[in-house]
Amino acid sequence: MRLGFSYIGLIYLILLYVPNIIWVKHQPKDYELYVKNENKALLFMERTGEILATCTALIFSDFNLRKWTAWCWWLVISFLLMVLYEISWVRYFRSGKTMRDFYGRLLFIRIPLASLPVAAFFLLGIYGSNLVMILTSIILGIGHIGIHTAHEEEVFGERKKPHGLMRVGKGFLITLLILLFGIISVVIGMRNVRYIKHYVNLFRGVDEQSYITLGGQEQYVLMTGRDVKNPVIIYLHGGPSSPDAFCTYAFADHLTEDFTFVCWDQRGCGRTYYENEDTDPSNETASFDRALEDLDELVDYARERFGQDRVIVMGHSYGTILGSTYVQAHPEKVSAYIGIAQVISPEKSERAGYEMARIRGHEKGKDTTALEKAYQAFEREKSLPNRMALRREVMKLLPAKKQDQAFRNALSSPYFGMDDLKWFLVQTGDEEDYYRLNRQLFDTTFSFDIDHLKQDYEVPVHFISGGDDRICPVDPIRNYKDRIEAPKKTFTELDGCGHNVQYTEPEAFADTVKQLLK
């Protein structure tokens, strides 16, 4: 819901009002006789909807053209409806200009001069993800279509209703469309409400989605915060290649009063991948060393932009491999490090998870055959599909007490876009194809052992984990914390949470972060 002039809205209003102005001098005969019978409540809703639609179409820039994605089809369909609307007017002006001409159907569309513009503005609201336009169109539709439906029935009499299967099919289709557009409207509404909360960031802070040049690539960065003078947190997503910038608001909104929060779709994934797909479709440049260099450039960018000598580095899962390695290499640029679900050794973690699940399964008298077969396959070939199959079996026997809300957060996210959806489909598609696309990063991740890094840190180090995390179990992390040296070191366990602790208990997680960095 971005305020600003909409030239698309202006075009729609011209298409709407010009034929209506011409119509004033070409009204059908006896039209004034029908006006006397108009329902006053519907008339009020029609007038209210007209005023709101006119204002809304002009003051939100959400409706303007943008980079093409599948979501833009809403605009295409909406504009086609406006084209049909103009055709309906041309047909009327060339007719005998009777009431029957005015209310004649266009193809199968009843009262096209009333229903088409309402539907067009409704779809324009969906294209712009703007709840105000959606609600305005509904108000306008109830009044405008309601009035002209009554006039149509007066002119033609009650039309014959379809029989049998046709009536059932029509009812089913209408119900399906109401359900579909209802769900879309609710999701857009949740996104709008969440985004409105971020307007406060614009006064002294930042709320910005942009592409900045890192290592010769334009890479997607999201920055939010109430005051640009606050300390900066740079968040590194997991995976590798599992960007979640669109979800981070769930916990970041609880941090932005005290910090400027920066998250980033790393090279080779998410929005960054699609921005550079033409030049690097196979992710040849997406290596771990290159990721470290990209991160260093991002750190320098944040330090310069926000006037900070140092930043706080926060990594999740694979992001802790990147984060801990970077912090040890550049302590002069970092004030603190936070590892969420710190990776110690994926190889050892998979085995530890298997042993824990096998023992728990036997204790509860459950069949562990599938688990043992998955482990044997993993030992034969440590591929991504085998690794994921083993994890799924482990999670069946050792589920987290509390479930993360990442999917729900994505649906109601004010930042979720079509490129995010496209990448999600890549991640949940063929695992071999996904592995090949990011082979270099996966190979680095699977062979990682944190004991190969130095055992001393020059900055405070804080680890936060879910007590029921089976991917990065808490005991190895706690043991690692005990054997490293750092100016300050802590380990915090949030009971019942799994691997995505920041999305399971976002407010508790944020409170923990604030307390640790206080």
Side-chain angles (χ1 to χ4, degrees):
M1 295 182 67
R2 296 169 180 83
L3 291 170
F5 175 70
S6 172
Y7 55 84
I8 292 293
L10 178 61
I11 292 171
Y12 270 57
L13 291 175
I14 291 172
L15 293 173
L16 179 68
Y17 282 116
V18 168
N20 277 276
I21 292 171
I22 298 172
W23 172 80
V24 171
K25 294 184 178 181
H26 299 278
Q27 292 184 9
K29 183 181 179 181
D30 299 330
Y31 182 73
E32 292 300 328
L33 297 176
Y34 292 86
V35 172
K36 297 176 181 179
N37 300 325
E38 289 178 354
N39 181 284
K40 296 297 185 285
L42 292 178
L43 185 62
F44 174 78
M45 296 188 75
E46 180 189 50
R47 296 290 182 265
T48 302
E50 287 171 348
I51 295 169
L52 292 176
T54 301
C55 296
T56 303
L58 293 174
I59 66 173
F60 288 103
S61 60
D62 305 315
F63 312 123
N64 290 335
L65 297 178
R66 63 185 76 155
K67 178 183 175 183
W68 177 264
T69 67
W71 195 257
C72 294
W73 281 108
W74 291 117
L75 179 62
V76 173
I77 298 170
S78 172
F79 187 74
L80 288 175
L81 293 180
M82 289 303 293
V83 170
L84 290 175
Y85 175 66
E86 300 304 314
I87 291 172
S88 298
W89 275 117
V90 170
R91 185 186 66 168
Y92 167 74
F93 290 135
R94 296 180 64 182
S95 72
K97 302 181 183 63
T98 66
M99 288 295 287
R100 283 180 171 268
D101 295 325
F102 189 57
Y103 286 108
R105 293 192 179 193
L106 179 67
L107 303 176
F108 59 89
I109 303 170
R110 286 184 64 182
I111 48 173
L113 293 174
S115 59
L116 285 172
V118 170
F121 275 78
F122 180 81
L123 295 183
L124 184 65
I126 291 180
Y127 163 74
S129 294
N130 189 297
L131 184 63
V132 176
M133 179 59 86
I134 291 172
L135 294 178
T136 293
S137 301
I138 293 172
I139 293 170
L140 175 62
I142 293 172
H144 194 55
I145 295 175
I147 287 172
H148 290 285
T149 298
H151 289 340
E152 183 212 33
E153 290 178 354
E154 289 181 82
V155 172
F156 290 99
E158 191 171 348
R159 294 181 183 271
K160 290 183 179 181
K161 296 181 180 180
H163 296 284
L165 290 176
M166 187 174 291
R167 180 187 294 182
V168 173
K170 183 179 178 181
F172 176 77
L173 180 60
I174 291 173
T175 302
L176 189 64
L177 288 174
I178 291 174
L179 183 62
L180 172 64
F181 287 117
I183 292 172
I184 291 174
S185 300
V186 168
V187 170
I188 287 174
M190 290 191 295
R191 292 177 56 142
N192 288 171
V193 168
R194 294 191 185 282
Y195 188 72
I196 288 170
K197 293 180 180 179
H198 291 189
Y199 269 113
V200 70
N201 295 347
L202 302 179
F203 297 111
R204 292 183 301 159
V206 61
D207 194 280
E208 179 184 312
Q209 299 178 80
S210 59
Y211 289 87
I212 65 174
T213 304
L214 302 174
Q217 274 195 358
E218 295 299 303
Q219 303 195 29
Y220 173 74
V221 177
L222 170 63
M223 296 172 280
T224 59
R226 298 281 179 88
D227 191 333
V228 293
K229 295 180 181 179
N230 281 335
V232 175
I233 294 176
I234 293 184
Y235 172 82
L236 309 176
H237 65 69
S241 65
S242 294
D244 57 351
F246 53 87
C247 277
T248 53
Y249 76 90
F251 63 91
D253 281 0
H254 300 292
L255 296 171
T256 51
E257 183 73 36
D258 304 295
F259 303 95
T260 297
F261 191 83
V262 178
C263 48
W264 153 54
D265 282 13
Q266 298 163 28
R267 182 184 296 259
C269 66
R271 298 194 188 191
T272 295
Y273 173 78
Y274 292 114
E275 186 70 15
N276 300 278
E277 186 177 12
D278 292 340
T279 56
D280 191 13
S282 300
N283 276 341
E284 293 179 6
T285 66
S287 67
F288 185 73
D289 289 340
R290 181 67 258 182
L292 286 170
E293 293 171 14
D294 289 346
L295 174 57
D296 191 41
E297 291 187 35
L298 178 61
V299 168
D300 287 342
Y301 171 87
R303 290 167 64 217
E304 180 179 356
R305 171 159 180 180
F306 299 110
Q308 305 283 334
D309 292 331
R310 301 185 179 194
V311 300
I312 299 155
V313 173
M314 174 190 289
H316 172 240
S317 193
Y318 160 78
T320 66
I321 299 177
L322 185 60
S324 55
T325 304
Y326 179 83
V327 166
Q328 291 201 353
H330 298 282
E332 75 283 358
K333 299 181 182 182
V334 180
S335 58
Y337 168 66
I338 298 175
I340 313 164
Q342 176 70 47
V343 176
I344 302 299
S345 165
E347 193 82 2
K348 296 173 183 176
S349 294
E350 302 295 358
R351 292 195 176 98
Y354 162 72
E355 286 297 336
M356 192 184 306
R358 186 179 62 83
I359 293 171
R360 185 70 58 84
H362 289 164
E363 289 176 349
K364 294 186 175 182
K366 293 187 177 181
D367 185 5
T368 60
T369 304
L371 172 70
E372 290 163 7
K373 286 183 178 179
Y375 181 71
Q376 291 166 6
F378 169 72
E379 285 294 331
R380 285 194 302 271
E381 182 184 1
K382 295 177 175 58
S383 64
L384 178 63
N386 287 346
R387 190 178 296 267
M388 298 307 293
L390 176 59
R391 288 182 183 179
R392 285 190 287 269
E393 294 303 324
V394 168
M395 293 306 298
K396 287 178 184 178
L397 293 168
L398 295 173
K401 297 183 188 70
K402 301 175 182 177
Q403 297 300 311
D404 75 72
Q405 305 297 323
F407 181 74
R408 187 184 70 182
N409 293 334
L411 282 180
S412 58
S413 168
Y415 304 111
F416 188 74
M418 291 304 295
D419 281 350
D420 300 311
L421 176 60
K422 284 166 62 180
W423 188 256
F424 174 77
L425 295 176
V426 170
Q427 288 182 271
T428 54
D430 186 274
E431 290 174 341
E432 286 289 0
D433 289 343
Y434 179 50
Y435 168 73
R436 280 192 292 269
L437 191 57
N438 282 283
R439 175 185 291 272
Q440 297 180 85
L441 293 176
F442 277 112
D443 289 348
T444 298
T445 301
F446 295 156
S447 62
F448 178 77
D449 191 323
I450 203 167
D451 286 328
H452 295 162
L453 299 180
K454 294 184 296 184
Q455 297 292 298
D456 60 308
Y457 290 79
E458 297 179 39
V459 303
V461 175
H462 306 287
F463 300 112
I464 305 174
S465 289
D468 290 344
D469 189 345
R470 312 309 180 193
I471 297 173
C472 297
V474 296
D475 287 343
I477 300 172
R478 187 183 287 108
N479 293 337
Y480 176 70
K481 186 270 294 185
D482 290 340
R483 64 178 181 268
I484 63 171
E485 296 294 330
K488 182 177 178 62
K489 55 181 183 177
T490 65
F491 175 84
T492 304
E493 178 181 329
L494 295 186
D495 185 54
C497 297
H499 190 59
N500 297 323
V501 60
Q502 72 274 36
Y503 297 122
T504 307
E505 294 281 2
E507 190 168 357
F509 169 80
D511 288 342
T512 299
V513 170
K514 287 187 284 189
Q515 187 62 37
L516 292 173
L517 297 176
K518 191 174 181 179

